[in-house]
Amino acid sequence: MPIAVDIDVMLARRKMSVGELADRVGITPANLAVLKNGRAKAVRFATLAALCEVLSCQPGDLLRWEAEEAEDTAGAAGG
């Protein structure tokens, strides 16, 4: 996925655990782990705002865009 999530970076900077962040944001640690590990398909703006408030950061500190690598299609062309 071209959107990378850097919640773990902000957690380390703030010396905060995943459990503490989840509790302060109001989501389950499991749901926070899904987001933190880049497996989430979406994030609500309310959740993003709460993360930013608790971590004292901007959305761009938590999310960044990365270009996807081109898939290897050499074998698909046949030849």
Side-chain angles (χ1 to χ4, degrees):
M1 175 174 277
I3 301 297
V5 181
D6 291 328
I7 291 175
D8 53 346
V9 173
M10 293 306 296
L11 283 170
R13 288 182 182 167
R14 303 296 186 256
K15 294 180 172 56
M16 188 181 298
S17 70
V18 172
E20 180 183 352
L21 179 61
D23 187 52
R24 292 177 63 182
V25 170
I27 61 176
T28 66
N31 284 339
L32 181 58
V34 167
L35 179 60
K36 185 175 84 73
N37 295 324
R39 295 189 315 259
K41 298 294 181 192
V43 60
R44 293 176 188 235
F45 281 168
T47 301
L48 183 58
L51 287 166
C52 290
E53 182 177 353
V54 171
L55 293 170
S56 299
C57 67
Q58 295 294 313
D61 296 326
L62 301 177
L63 304 172
R64 63 187 156 79
W65 178 81
E66 292 182 341
E68 291 189 60
E69 294 182 21
E71 292 185 27
D72 184 1
T73 57

